[in-house]
Amino acid sequence: MKIDLSDLNAFLAVARAQGFRDGARASGVSASGLSEAVRRLEAQLGVRLLNRTTRSVVPTEAGKRLLARLNPALTEVEAALEEVNDFRNRPAGTLKLNVPVSAARLVLPSIVPRFLAAYPEIRVEVFTESSFVDMVAAGCDAGIRYDERLEQDMIAVPIGPRVQRFATAAAPTYLAQRGRPKHPSELLQHACLRLRFPSGAMPPWEYARDGEVVRVDGEGPLQVDVGGGLDLLIDAAIAGSGVVNLFEDWLRPHLQSGALEPILESWWQPFSGPFLYYPGRRLVPAPLRAFIDFIKAGSV
């Protein structure tokens, strides 16, 4: 039997107030509306729930039993609604982020620990992807991408460094043996350690200076998948296996230590930093709203 919940609420309002007029004032529904709802409920159940006189409205035995069972159930419903309100007023729950490996390594470490400290009741789940996936279909609340990969129907918020560069470097021992390139085209004569996307594509290395743009599709002894193979690529470069081209921030510790030496630095191209993106929905989940506000407040 399918009962309209509004009819049950009407019965509760009248039974508690012991009258249709008082029930109407308490519920905001007209007395005639409550009367019609109660009649409809009684007709569906096939029993009288309220004894009505000109002076009083009193639950029948059946009405008392129904009222006794509905009161604790209603209390549970109210508690559930209060819990939902807590999500709005006191952010809690799970935030799922879909991000490239570079963002997990270079952007999130300076943000997530402080965000978790500020919102201890929020749990963050980070899913790293080497390929570009449908963030919503993957069950995530938001993702991180660069502007050329952003979908038009998404809302984007800047996150992390606003300007980044790819850096080219090699071990000093390698350069001492093979020479230091003066022009990007000379990299074709060097051992280039390359990144490979899941599709099998290997993006060329791009350089620009004084209006000249050069794309180098070099070859070398090592190719690794974007993701878990990146550290191997750097280790191989430090060991003198060849030339590497990665995010400057990723190589910076090794450049500063001298384990790697920059190559063609005047040709490195700056590009826009990443964005947090999410669907343009009217109601943003509380954990995501807290994360967005944390970023916008300049906490990053």
Side-chain angles (χ1 to χ4, degrees):
M1 180 183 298
K2 187 175 182 180
I3 301 295
D4 192 326
L5 290 179
S6 62
D7 291 349
L8 286 173
N9 285 329
F11 164 69
L12 286 170
V14 175
R16 286 173 170 175
Q18 296 186 340
F20 286 93
R21 290 182 180 177
D22 289 342
R25 281 193 290 267
S27 65
V29 180
S30 68
S32 61
L34 291 178
S35 179
E36 176 60 30
V38 171
R39 279 198 297 269
R40 187 165 53 243
L41 180 61
E42 289 177 329
Q44 283 187 280
L45 294 175
V47 297
R48 178 176 290 276
L49 298 174
L50 298 171
N51 286 322
R52 309 162 178 80
T53 70
T54 57
R55 297 182 179 180
S56 65
V57 175
V58 179
T60 64
E61 184 64 27
K64 290 178 181 178
R65 291 193 179 187
L66 179 60
L67 189 62
R69 297 296 296 270
L70 286 179
N71 274 327
L74 183 62
T75 300
E76 284 297 316
V77 171
E78 291 173 346
L81 293 176
E82 282 301 316
E83 190 170 325
V84 172
N85 285 334
D86 282 345
F87 271 79
R88 183 187 67 240
N89 302 323
R90 176 181 50 80
T94 301
L95 172 63
K96 295 184 178 182
L97 301 176
N98 184 284
V99 306
V101 175
S102 58
R105 179 74 174 265
L106 303 177
V107 176
L108 294 183
S110 64
I111 300 173
V112 169
R114 290 182 296 110
F115 175 73
L116 293 176
Y119 296 94
E121 296 188 31
I122 292 179
R123 179 179 64 195
V124 177
E125 295 183 9
V126 177
F127 301 88
T128 55
E129 296 283 352
S130 300
S131 57
F132 297 101
V133 302
D134 185 333
M135 173 267 296
V136 176
C140 292
D141 301 299
I144 295 178
R145 285 185 186 173
Y146 288 85
D147 53 3
E148 73 274 9
R149 297 288 186 173
L150 290 173
E151 298 170 10
Q152 295 301 312
D153 60 345
M154 293 288 176
I155 297 175
V157 178
I159 184 173
R162 298 321 313 139
V163 178
Q164 293 181 292
R165 294 192 302 178
F166 274 100
T168 307
T173 53
Y174 171 89
L175 295 174
Q177 294 176 356
R178 301 287 298 271
R180 290 169 173 79
K182 300 296 189 295
H183 189 276
S185 61
E186 296 177 25
L187 289 171
L188 293 173
Q189 309 304 318
H190 284 262
C192 296
L193 310 178
R194 302 291 299 276
L195 287 175
R196 181 181 57 239
F197 283 97
S199 64
M202 291 189 295
W205 298 354
E206 297 188 4
Y207 303 89
R209 189 178 71 177
D210 300 331
E212 181 183 3
V213 178
V214 181
R215 293 179 177 84
V216 177
D217 196 5
E219 297 183 355
L222 180 63
Q223 299 174 5
V224 302
D225 288 337
V226 174
L230 288 170
D231 288 334
L232 173 60
L233 203 72
I234 295 174
D235 289 342
I238 292 173
S241 300
V243 180
V244 67
N245 186 66
L246 285 175
F247 283 96
E248 181 181 6
D249 291 338
W250 211 316
L251 294 182
R252 181 172 289 112
H254 309 293
L255 296 172
Q256 291 175 339
S257 70
L260 292 175
E261 181 180 322
I263 301 171
L264 302 166
E265 189 169 359
S266 63
W267 288 84
W268 297 354
Q269 294 186 79
F271 55 90
S272 175
F275 293 84
L276 178 79
Y277 73 102
Y278 58 97
R281 297 179 295 206
R282 184 172 63 87
L283 295 177
V284 176
L288 176 56
R289 171 51 59 193
F291 193 65
I292 293 169
D293 292 342
F294 187 80
I295 294 169
K296 288 183 174 180
S299 300
V300 300

